[in-house]
Amino acid sequence: MNTRPALNISAVERDTGLGKDTLRVWERRYGFPQPTRDNHGERVYPAEQVDRLRLMKRLIDHGYRPGRLFAASEDEFSSLCHACAAKSVAEPGSGDEVVRHAIRLIKANDLPILRQALNQAMMRLGLQGFIIDIVAPLNQAVGEAWMSGEFQIFEEHLYTEQMKSLLRQAIGSLPPSVVGPRILLTTVPEEQHLLGLLMVEALLVLDGATCISLGTQTPLFDIQMAAVAHRADIVAVSFSAAFPARQVAPQVSQLRQLLPSEVDLWVGGTGAQRLAPQPGVVVLANLRGALEALEVWRGCGHGDQSSPPELDGR
Amino acid sequence: MNTRPALNISAVERDTGLGKDTLRVWERRYGFPQPTRDNHGERVYPAEQVDRLRLMKRLIDHGYRPGRLFAASEDEFSSLCHACAAKSVAEPGSGDEVVRHAIRLIKANDLPILRQALNQAMMRLGLQGFIIDIVAPLNQAVGEAWMSGEFQIFEEHLYTEQMKSLLRQAIGSLPPSVVGPRILLTTVPEEQHLLGLLMVEALLVLDGATCISLGTQTPLFDIQMAAVAHRADIVAVSFSAAFPARQVAPQVSQLRQLLPSEVDLWVGGTGAQRLAPQPGVVVLANLRGALEALEVWRGCGHGDQSSPPELDGR
DNA sequence: GTTCCTTTTTGTCCTGGACAATTTGACCAT
DNA sequence: ATGGTCAAATTGTCCAGGACAAAAAGGAAC
């Protein structure tokens, strides 16, 4: 077995999602990470430190603060990883069995069977049930498995890729609507997670909406232009947990300001939950929230944008 | 019409792909960009400058050097944009007509018809012909349309998203192979362009290979682990033109070193063309190159990795 | 418990210097 | 002309260490 390569600072930035400045300032302030230096005096991060940084990034995304993590002992740290993983297993839904099975299949690297099992579940539950009761918990479970060290990164990648493929397939096979609202889906620059958006798209198309997906990372001004060009009734953007928390609110405000006032703005995803309510912005608490919002939109008569009804999913 | 928002330095980094350090050093050395400053003395880039930076980035990706671009007059600059666009229209293939039609449909924002036209073309030409004679030139044409200012960014996004969707759909509907080589497909971190990879995947699956796609941005060490876990015969990675040129060679070498020697390594995409030949690394000159490489692999008897035959596509 | 205010924490930006890797261009030999 | 070698210019990335605003935490008064 090869010994793992050490990385320079920009490679660590890519791999962990922590900026160069942050890496340097952590080193200065907390003494970690503590990279060695190469001939030119440049930082070289051993693989173990990069692993640790990846974990810290994810814990921070889940709401822990750096000070807490740096203060923690080794034992406490790893218990935090597990605690974080466990905390959100609230409702042992009916899909639990399927989810556990899928996890086992991913770990066994058995792609064909995994694909088959997911397809089967989809057929049995219908697309909506599949997404809400299987895909969402499964995403969570995969994230947790990674965090507690049971999954490699590539297994997470593989799962994500499979699921994206499956969802696109499903969306493609649905009949295109001509009556429902026209919904433009995308993410802002810096946010490259597509899976959540695809899940919402599937649900919305299933409910008769016309979805126009721009994929990830559309500049705000282009979202505006696209909304106008495609005569969208609603613009929906999603923020993952990994999105820099401080940037969510400004991005949303700016987008809201850019869009014509008769266009609704829906914001969903883990990263959107920290968002304070704003006039003219609907925060979707979860997947069902999207369906409720669609219902509300239809009820209210289209084009009523001034103070849309509060949708509090709790 | 709203006036477009100005961006701070990290937003510009995201939007243009030029690093913060590069932006600052260009300002220092060449006097462009010349952002204004906000109350705190931080750089604020007007939208026009960001547009210009985006163009420059793309021209640089196409081989021009910054010094050349900064020295150019306004007229010369825009003529470079067009020249760069025109230079690669070499073979007026049979798909030319379809490509032009598709471009018009994208510009007209007519999604349903576009989708239908592409589907039709695929049916008529077959998947292989479609990818080689339509998708590849169309990608090029879309890039050119953007560069000469005829397309907005969101139109490029929309096209890419549609095409990805279509290709996945096609791949999903192909019968899974059980005999061909097992090929692991992905990109290295920092490379987030998936479309080329999907095109290759479609061609390879069509030719009877078993493809395992990890999506984009897999850390090198995870590519290694995935290759082992999935008993891959071949690992294929792609580099777009936008990938930092200086990093291609080191990444490939490192990956080659990480992988077991009996696993072939294929490298494709525009960004791979600048790559000097290395032992144990097959550079794919174009899409057909992938098919040729597959043929060679089958001919040579699997597992022959020591000095694979040169595949020079010219 | 809630509201308001102060302190600490934390990420990002700044300047200006340095340097290695690549490319260019000049010069020379075939 | 063609090819090869070496010096000079170009260019992206790294570093140090200072600064500061936004967010979170902690406390105090209600």
Side-chain angles (χ1 to χ4, degrees), chain A residues 14 190 192 217 221 254, chain B residues 4-5 14 190 192 217:
Chain A
R14 290 196 301 265
E190 181 123 334
Q192 41 181 266
Q217 317 207 66
F221 192 67
Q254 202 178 348
Chain B
R4 291 188 293 163
R14 289 196 302 263
E190 180 121 334
Q192 42 181 259
Q217 316 209 64

Side-chain angles (χ1 to χ4, degrees), chain A residues 2 4-5 14 109 152-154 157 161 168 190 192 214-217 221-222 225 229-230 254 258, chain B residues 2 4-5 14 109 152-154 157 161 168 190 192 214 216-218 221-222 225 229-230 254 258:
Chain A
N2 268 308
R4 290 188 292 161
R14 290 196 301 265
N109 295 306
Q152 299 295 334
I153 294 174
F154 79 87
H157 271 229
E161 200 57 20
R168 275 195 215 253
E190 181 123 334
Q192 41 181 266
L214 296 182
T216 57
Q217 317 207 66
F221 192 67
D222 284 84
M225 287 193 290
H230 290 273
Q254 202 178 348
L258 237 40
Chain B
N2 267 306
R4 291 188 293 163
R14 289 196 302 263
N109 295 307
Q152 300 295 335
I153 295 175
F154 79 86
H157 272 230
E161 200 57 21
R168 278 198 216 249
E190 180 121 334
Q192 42 181 259
L214 297 181
T216 56
Q217 316 209 64
T218 310
F221 192 69
D222 283 83
M225 286 193 290
H230 289 276
Q254 203 180 348
L258 238 41

Side-chain angles (χ1 to χ4, degrees), chain A:
Chain A
M1 177 62 73
N2 268 308
T3 160
R4 290 188 292 161
L7 305 179
N8 65 16
I9 195 168
S10 41
V12 175
E13 176 178 41
R14 290 196 301 265
D15 260 42
T16 63
L18 298 163
K20 297 195 230 295
D21 279 318
T22 305
L23 289 168
R24 284 193 277 252
V25 94
W26 279 8
E27 180 181 342
R28 197 197 311 168
R29 286 188 191 146
Y30 312 112
F32 183 89
Q34 201 144 55
T36 58
R37 300 292 179 125
D38 67 7
N39 311 326
H40 317 315
E42 305 195 347
R43 293 173 174 78
V44 175
Y45 296 82
E48 302 75 40
Q49 293 192 27
V50 180
D51 290 339
R52 177 61 164 266
L53 288 169
R54 260 194 287 260
L55 275 174
M56 295 189 66
K57 170 65 159 68
R58 219 175 259 216
L59 286 171
I60 289 169
D61 288 341
H62 277 259
Y64 292 98
R65 303 199 60 188
R68 176 94 180 72
L69 301 178
F70 283 113
S73 70
E74 205 54 39
D75 290 347
E76 195 184 353
F77 186 84
S78 64
S79 81
L80 280 181
C81 291
H82 288 272
C84 170
K87 79 157 184 259
S88 47
V89 184
E91 5 165 7
S94 58
D96 240 26
E97 177 63 24
V98 182
V99 170
R100 270 195 299 271
H101 187 212
I103 292 284
R104 279 196 303 274
L105 288 175
I106 299 169
K107 210 173 317 193
N109 295 306
D110 195 337
L111 210 47
I113 308 279
L114 171 66
R115 195 191 279 265
Q116 184 194 321
L118 292 176
N119 252 310
Q120 228 165 43
M122 185 163 71
M123 293 301 168
R124 193 150 45 78
L125 298 177
L127 186 51
Q128 178 172 331
F130 176 66
I131 289 177
I132 292 180
D133 297 328
I134 304 287
V135 184
L138 187 50
N139 284 347
Q140 188 104 21
V142 169
E144 290 161 10
W146 177 85
M147 186 125 49
S148 57
E150 296 166 55
F151 267 21
Q152 299 295 334
I153 294 174
F154 79 87
E155 292 170 311
E156 202 178 10
H157 271 229
L158 190 72
Y159 160 72
T160 306
E161 200 57 20
Q162 281 305 308
M163 192 54 86
K164 284 196 283 195
S165 182
L166 187 62
L167 288 178
R168 275 195 215 253
Q169 195 98 20
I171 292 169
S173 66
L174 291 174
S177 152
V178 280
V179 293
R182 304 173 60 82
I183 306 180
L184 188 79
L185 294 139
T186 190
T187 71
V188 301
E190 181 123 334
E191 174 57 72
Q192 41 181 266
H193 292 83
L194 183 64
L195 191 47
L197 209 60
L198 275 178
M199 291 163 67
V200 174
E201 179 178 354
L203 291 178
L204 293 173
V205 172
L206 202 57
D207 251 26
T210 303
C211 286
I212 302 147
S213 177
L214 296 182
T216 57
Q217 317 207 66
T218 309
L220 296 189
F221 192 67
D222 284 84
I223 300 180
Q224 179 204 12
M225 287 193 290
V228 173
H230 290 273
R231 307 184 317 283
D233 299 301
I234 298 160
V235 169
V237 297
S238 98
F239 292 91
S240 72
F243 191 87
R246 344 175 93 199
Q247 305 221 4
V248 178
Q251 296 274 305
V252 171
S253 308
Q254 202 178 348
L255 181 55
R256 175 65 276 179
Q257 199 191 332
L258 237 40
L259 290 175
S261 59
E262 68 271 16
V263 174
D264 276 21
L265 177 57
W266 295 358
V267 185
T270 315
Q273 304 313 309
R274 324 153 180 148
L275 190 59
Q278 279 184 57
V281 176
V282 178
V283 176
L284 310 175
N286 52 42
L287 287 169
R288 284 186 209 282
L291 295 178
E292 290 163 16
L294 182 55
E295 220 168 295
V296 171
W297 186 90
R298 284 185 164 130
C300 279
H302 345 305
D304 177 7
Q305 89 295 342
S306 57
S307 89
E310 282 299 318
L311 285 176
D312 197 351
R314 322 210 122 247

Side-chain angles (χ1 to χ4, degrees), chain B residues 123-156:
Chain B
M123 292 301 169
R124 193 151 44 77
L125 297 177
L127 186 52
Q128 178 172 331
F130 176 66
I131 290 177
I132 293 180
D133 296 328
I134 304 289
V135 184
L138 187 50
N139 283 348
Q140 189 103 22
V142 169
E144 290 161 12
W146 177 86
M147 186 126 47
S148 56
E150 296 167 54
F151 267 22
Q152 300 295 335
I153 295 175
F154 79 86
E155 293 170 309
E156 201 178 11

